[in-house]
Amino acid sequence: MFGYLMPAESELSEQDRRVFRAAYCGVCFEMGRVARMGLQFDCAFLALARNSVEQPAPCCRRNCRVRWFFRKVDCAQGEQMQYAADVNTLLVYYKLLDDVRDSGSLKAKLAVRLIKREYRQAAQRHREMDSMISAQLQKLHALENEKSTDVDACADCFAVLLQLVAAPGGDRNGPLGRMFYNVGRWIYVIDALSDWEKDRMSGSFNVFGHYRDLEQARAAASFSLWFTLSEAARAYEMLFPNEAAKPVLDNVMYVSMPARTAYVLGEIDKNGQPVTKGGGENQSV
Amino acid sequence: MLGVKPGASEEEIKRAYRQQAKKWHPDQYLHTPQHDVAVEKMKEINAAYDALTGKNTGTGGPNPNGPGYGYGYSAGSQGAEFSQKQRARMFIQSHRYKEAEEILSKLTERDAEWHFLISCVYAASGRYDSARVHLQQAVEMDPNNPEYRMNWQRFSSQGNNYRKWTMGTQGANPFCQMGPGSAGQNDAMCRVLQCMMFASLCRGGAGLGCFPYLFCC
């Protein structure tokens, strides 16, 4: 995914940091050698959120596979970690395919070659999810090809993807499914907004691309972002995560994501200080 | 909640409901501190009424806690023959948004109620921007309707309230030291290395702080 779903470390206690790290390392441990390079915090969050409605995952100390010469790390174990690892592998594979289609660069082609074996293994374990992801992305790609300006439609593709990844099967409208639907929607919108300038330069597609300047795009996205986030938080309140995962999930939902939103909307700067625009509005931060 | 005895007739329940609804309708408390209380009360009253009359049996449906809508006031749904709009409204109340959308899309007369109903459908199915546009339209076309106004107020303020709440509670800067990398310097190094590897792998050397974004644009 995008690296948007990560806790704000400075607000976490040592213990909670360890919980998130264990989930991260647990997912990392389960991944294949190539796909591991595309590991994202989002998938650690996914594993933690999916695991949070059950008992806390057991931890064990293992050699870190990336820095095996270095030291041992805490790894969370369990099928959720395996699941999140497979999700990550699939997403990385499709991302690389996307790159090949867009740029056709040699590097991307090579990477697809390298990751193909691990992708096949993951896809074999989750056939339905694999076809679902590729269907949603195709839908998104079709929308992008026709230069859609419909934020709802574009964001919906990605939102449904995350929803079905987080809550496969019948419970897609449970708290977890609705939470991840809104999270996915938020990710799509915020990613489009933060890439606005870059996309303008390179001339690639952006849902907000038809706005003339960034301020207009921000104004158009502001309602959507905050409302989506509040809906995600509403769904999250129905989730009742276990004791261990709660502080971390709380942190992501109530601190990290809002801060990221405010930052991308230009309300606060990188240091978390409110940005004063000419009119001198000092918002309550 | 409604203050009726067990075994009360439908008429009595209805009367009690109207009385309570009149008393607690949030519109009376606009701009007063009791507004939130009134909203809560109104919800409880509606729930009690629905429970007593056996309406809204579809709460087990797909989106039981979806973007909350409608404090009752289902205008004139007691009529003998249901118009299409009333049918759509019933579908929305029982969380069957697909059917409701189908009915609404066939209607050619687009008045305030149509805009309101379609905005309910959109809000429940995640199309928040369209929902907002249509709800605004409904309010503009019929500014005196309490149902539209109330929902508009709620809809437009929810995100903002959340923003104020979250941005108000957190004092420190959430941006410094993000991610597990900061737990120790070694880990940070590892993260950066991984990042670089992947970035150069698939993006042709994007900046260090830049995570490999997927799919988007």
Side-chain angles (χ1 to χ4, degrees):
Chain A
M1 284 173 271
F2 304 84
Y4 283 114
L5 306 178
M6 53 171 93
E9 283 273 313
S10 54
E11 306 277 308
L12 279 183
S13 72
E14 194 54 41
Q15 171 63 29
D16 303 333
R17 241 175 261 191
R18 226 172 282 146
V19 171
F20 187 69
R21 264 204 79 83
Y24 185 75
C25 291
V27 175
C28 178
F29 190 84
E30 299 285 353
M31 288 180 85
R33 204 173 299 162
V34 183
R36 183 173 292 141
M37 280 188 260
L39 176 61
Q40 296 285 329
F41 290 123
D42 311 57
C43 283
F45 178 78
L46 174 73
L48 208 60
R50 274 178 61 86
N51 195 43
S52 71
V53 284
E54 306 161 5
Q55 290 295 314
C59 268
C60 72
R61 287 187 76 73
R62 282 169 168 161
N63 279 326
C64 176
R65 286 212 171 164
V66 183
R67 299 161 294 135
W68 48 269
F69 49 85
F70 230 81
R71 61 162 191 187
K72 297 198 169 202
V73 289
D74 282 329
C75 280
Q77 289 173 307
E79 57 173 329
Q80 299 308 348
M81 307 301 144
Q82 171 81 52
Y83 181 84
D86 287 342
V87 167
N88 204 337
T89 307
L90 293 179
L91 290 178
V92 169
Y93 174 74
Y94 281 111
K95 148 81 183 149
L96 288 172
L97 274 195
D98 208 46
D99 278 358
V100 170
R101 193 166 38 192
D102 284 350
S103 64
S105 72
L106 210 62
K107 274 181 193 163
K109 276 180 191 157
L110 187 70
V112 170
R113 269 283 176 77
L114 287 174
I115 207 173
K116 194 124 197 177
R117 219 183 93 222
E118 284 159 24
Y119 158 74
R120 268 201 220 108
Q121 288 168 352
Q124 214 162 29
R125 282 192 285 268
H126 308 278
R127 275 181 200 286
E128 270 176 33
M129 192 166 67
D130 179 45
S131 54
M132 182 277 292
I133 291 177
S134 90
Q136 289 298 332
L137 290 179
Q138 251 162 27
K139 229 159 88 185
L140 190 59
H141 204 74
L143 281 170
E144 290 182 359
N145 274 347
E146 62 189 49
K147 301 248 178 287
S148 168
T149 54
D150 186 355
V151 181
D152 282 341
C154 293
D156 186 71
C157 298
F158 192 73
V160 169
L161 191 156
L162 268 205
Q163 180 185 28
L164 293 179
V165 158
D171 56 347
R172 59 179 286 193
N173 285 307
L176 200 62
R178 273 185 292 120
M179 176 178 143
F180 270 88
Y181 178 90
N182 286 299
V183 165
R185 193 178 189 283
W186 176 82
I187 289 182
Y188 185 86
V189 176
I190 205 161
D191 188 66
L193 196 58
S194 46
D195 283 354
W196 191 87
E197 260 165 0
K198 207 177 71 202
D199 287 340
R200 165 136 297 199
M201 291 292 168
S202 65
S204 43
F205 170 81
N206 192 314
V207 219
F208 298 109
H210 59 289
Y211 291 104
R212 249 177 284 128
D213 58 31
L214 188 56
E215 281 309 312
Q216 278 182 358
R218 277 174 175 167
S222 172
F223 165 81
S224 188
L225 283 173
W226 287 114
F227 189 83
T228 311
L229 215 50
S230 70
E231 281 297 319
R234 263 163 55 106
Y236 169 66
E237 274 153 27
M238 303 278 149
L239 191 66
F240 303 114
N242 61 32
E243 293 273 302
K246 192 167 188 306
V248 183
L249 298 183
D250 274 355
N251 182 296
V252 174
M253 298 302 293
Y254 299 138
V255 179
S256 159
M257 285 168 72
R260 177 67 73 119
T261 313
Y263 172 66
V264 170
L265 286 173
E267 288 169 16
I268 58 172
D269 60 12
K270 261 215 141 59
N271 299 317
Q273 301 305 319
V275 173
T276 42
K277 292 168 194 158
E281 46 164 5
N282 254 321
Q283 302 206 324
S284 55
V285 173
Chain B
M1 188 68 229
L2 295 178
V4 291
K5 296 189 187 84
S9 75
E10 207 174 313
E11 264 307 303
E12 279 173 302
I13 294 171
K14 220 176 256 174
R15 207 179 309 130
Y17 168 69
R18 291 218 181 99
Q19 225 171 27
Q20 290 289 328
K22 214 184 250 171
K23 190 171 154 198
W24 285 108
H25 199 292
D27 267 16
Q28 298 172 25
Y29 299 93
L30 273 185
H31 311 302
T32 65
Q34 290 99 326
H35 184 247
D36 289 343
V37 184
V39 171
E40 282 307 307
K41 274 273 187 214
M42 197 66 211
K43 263 192 226 158
E44 283 170 27
I45 291 165
N46 277 320
Y49 180 69
D50 288 347
L52 286 174
T53 53
K55 232 175 42 174
N56 237 357
T57 44
T59 36
N63 203 353
N65 297 303
Y69 255 126
Y71 307 99
Y73 271 73
S74 31
S77 57
Q78 296 102 335
E81 46 176 36
F82 284 176
S83 77
Q84 290 297 73
K85 257 180 246 155
Q86 280 157 346
R87 272 185 63 204
R89 196 182 270 270
M90 291 199 33
F91 276 129
I92 290 169
Q93 274 166 357
S94 51
H95 306 291
R96 289 160 67 183
Y97 302 108
K98 278 235 169 65
E99 286 100 327
E101 191 180 358
E102 216 165 89
I103 292 174
L104 286 170
S105 64
K106 279 183 197 139
L107 291 177
T108 45
E109 188 205 349
R110 315 235 143 146
D111 55 0
E113 195 185 1
W114 185 87
H115 282 291
F116 173 70
L117 290 176
I118 200 85
S119 85
C120 294
V121 173
Y122 283 161
S125 47
R127 280 171 277 175
Y128 304 138
D129 283 323
S130 321
R132 181 160 173 255
V133 171
H134 284 290
L135 194 54
Q136 197 172 16
Q137 183 83 19
V139 174
E140 270 165 22
M141 285 166 94
D142 188 357
N144 294 322
N145 189 311
E147 188 183 25
Y148 308 160
R149 247 185 331 154
M150 211 155 42
N151 279 308
W152 168 247
Q153 209 200 2
R154 189 168 159 207
F155 194 76
S156 52
S157 64
Q158 183 180 322
N160 216 7
N161 288 344
Y162 182 77
R163 192 196 76 165
K164 276 187 204 140
W165 180 65
T166 50
M167 301 309 287
T169 49
Q170 135 248 329
N173 162 29
F175 268 97
C176 61
Q177 314 162 344
M178 254 189 183
S182 63
Q185 215 169 12
N186 297 327
D187 305 327
M189 271 311 287
C190 152
R191 184 67 216 164
V192 166
L193 274 177
Q194 262 198 28
C195 219
M196 275 166 67
M197 278 159 90
F198 188 68
S200 59
L201 189 70
C202 67
R203 297 212 116 202
L208 272 190
C210 165
F211 288 90
Y213 296 136
L214 289 193
F215 316 126
C216 235
C217 334

